[in-house]
Amino acid sequence: MKNLASLAGVVALVSSVTGHATFQDLWATCARLPTSNSPVTDVTNSNIRCNANQGAAASKCSVAAGGTVTVEMHQQNNDRSCANEAIGGAHHGPVLVYMSKVADAATADGSSSFFKIFQDTWAKNASGGGGSDDYWGTKDLNSNCGKMDVKIPANLAPGDYLLRAEAIALHSASGLNGAQFYITCYQITVTGSGSLNPSGVSFPGAYKATDPGIQINIYQKLESYVAPGPAVIAGGTEATAGKAGSTVTATAGSPQPTASASKGAVSSTLQTSVKVTSAQATPTGGGGNTGGCTAAKFQQCGGSGFSGCTTCATGSTCKAQSGYYSQCV
Ligand SMILES: *[C@@H]1O[C@H](CO)[C@@H](O)[C@H](O)[C@H]1NC(C)=O
Ligand SMILES: [Cu+2]
């Protein structure tokens, strides 16, 4: 099953923010705009670095350390309308942003190490029936016309970086390799006189297909969510899902609510777009395993491309939540 969606994006360099409409003419300047809207699903493949559909970027964009870039996601490259969900089709999941210091952002291949500077993951919805009712980073994108502010750590050493923005859709992630990774890498030059040079992780390698935040049935009640990858570095920021725009600065230990996103700090804006096409609810027809196995209650039992057990354990029945996900309930 392929749910068609991808991140595409741009960094627009501006000295002050007066209105996002002005960024249109800078669209795609320094983002490696994906050339197709299919997600990456294999975390062991090098496509997990900067997308399987990585396109070329025209240039690099400059941002001062401590400045804020705004990631903007849309379903289609050329559609920034707020009337359309930024990432539709119940594509619930976290939004994660990494950076990697490189010699030349224009040519870097993403094999260098990445550190996490931002995340907006999950928060419980007390009145919800399951994790799909909870607050997720992708819902914050949807409720904010695709935009999310990301602060470049204040003391970050100057130089070229790849900025890797990622939304992970978990709507069919209960089976192995069911999570969908929407990634865009941006070619950034950080200015300033900082000295922070965090160590990081490599892609592939940073994620395992069985990580608890990657292989997960979000239709059951969740009491916690473990974001994939390393912790946000000290000086990075974390947003609370459901409270877009309110972030805390991460510290070496537990996050402390000391700072919030400041509009005045904006020095550059980064726009991305996520494409989701209506093809995502199209079943591929069959493939399910009826050969004597059973799926436990709350496990997936069907959906487009699903190849697991389609018979539910005694006491539960297989119910379609959508064209791409059926669950034993
Ligand atoms: C929280 O759960 C309620 C009840 O299911 C639902 O109506 C509401 O949309 C949920 N909130 C979010 C952010 O999904
Ligand atoms: Cu999709």
Side-chain angles (χ1 to χ4, degrees):
M1 161 238 117
K2 273 288 178 288
N3 283 328
L4 301 177
S6 76
L7 259 170
V10 224
V11 175
L13 173 63
V14 289
S15 53
S16 65
V17 171
T18 53
H20 288 99
T22 56
F23 304 149
Q24 284 278 11
D25 54 347
L26 292 169
W27 188 252
T29 304
C30 45
R32 297 182 181 177
L33 216 65
T35 54
S36 111
N37 58 7
S38 295
V40 175
T41 56
D42 180 358
V43 300
T44 67
N45 190 287
S46 58
N47 291 332
I48 197 69
R49 293 171 181 163
C50 289
N51 205 326
N53 308 300
Q54 185 182 169
S59 63
K60 304 178 207 174
C61 289
S62 185
V63 55
T68 299
V69 296
T70 302
V71 178
E72 182 177 336
M73 309 168 86
H74 293 289
Q75 296 185 29
Q76 306 293 340
N77 281 351
N78 55 1
D79 179 11
R80 300 179 69 205
S81 168
C82 302
N84 301 321
E85 276 190 321
I87 175 166
H91 279 39
H92 310 312
V95 175
L96 314 171
V97 179
Y98 296 79
M99 291 179 81
S100 178
K101 196 161 197 318
V102 296
D104 181 355
T107 55
D109 66 0
S111 60
S112 47
S113 74
F114 283 85
F115 50 91
K116 194 189 275 176
I117 62 162
F118 173 86
Q119 62 186 13
D120 179 346
T121 64
W122 170 92
K124 191 168 184 61
N125 177 351
S127 53
S132 59
D133 284 339
D134 289 343
Y135 300 95
W136 291 98
T138 54
K139 289 188 184 180
D140 286 341
L141 289 176
N142 286 340
S143 60
N144 199 29
C145 195
K147 298 183 185 68
M148 193 168 287
D149 288 347
V150 178
K151 186 186 173 197
I152 304 298
N155 193 33
L156 198 62
D160 273 16
Y161 289 82
L162 287 181
L163 186 147
R164 177 182 178 278
E166 172 179 55
I168 308 177
L170 300 171
H171 55 287
S172 57
S174 64
L176 202 61
N177 297 325
Q180 302 180 353
F181 301 81
Y182 299 103
I183 307 153
T184 291
C185 285
Y186 305 86
Q187 303 175 174
I188 308 280
T189 302
V190 172
T191 61
S193 55
S195 57
L196 186 65
N197 196 0
S199 59
V201 295
S202 293
F203 290 98
Y207 296 169
K208 289 200 298 293
T210 53
D211 280 347
I214 291 176
Q215 187 179 1
I216 179 174
N217 175 1
I218 62 164
Y219 300 95
Q220 63 190 336
K221 287 214 175 203
L222 302 178
E223 295 307 326
S224 64
Y225 176 76
V226 182
V232 173
I233 61 161
T237 49
E238 296 200 39
T240 301
K243 295 179 184 168
S246 116
T247 58
V248 296
T249 300
T251 61
S254 51
Q256 269 187 320
T258 50
S260 61
S262 156
K263 286 195 162 63
V266 171
S267 64
S268 153
T269 288
L270 180 151
Q271 302 162 350
T272 76
S273 94
V274 167
K275 305 177 203 174
V276 181
T277 77
S278 56
Q280 61 192 317
T282 306
T284 56
N289 183 353
T290 53
C293 61
T294 55
K297 194 170 184 183
F298 300 126
Q299 290 300 302
Q300 187 173 5
C301 54
S304 60
F306 178 69
S307 59
C309 305
T310 55
T311 306
C312 288
T314 309
S316 61
T317 54
C318 191
K319 191 158 174 280
Q321 313 260 347
S322 67
Y324 47 82
Y325 191 89
S326 301
Q327 185 186 27
C328 296
V329 289

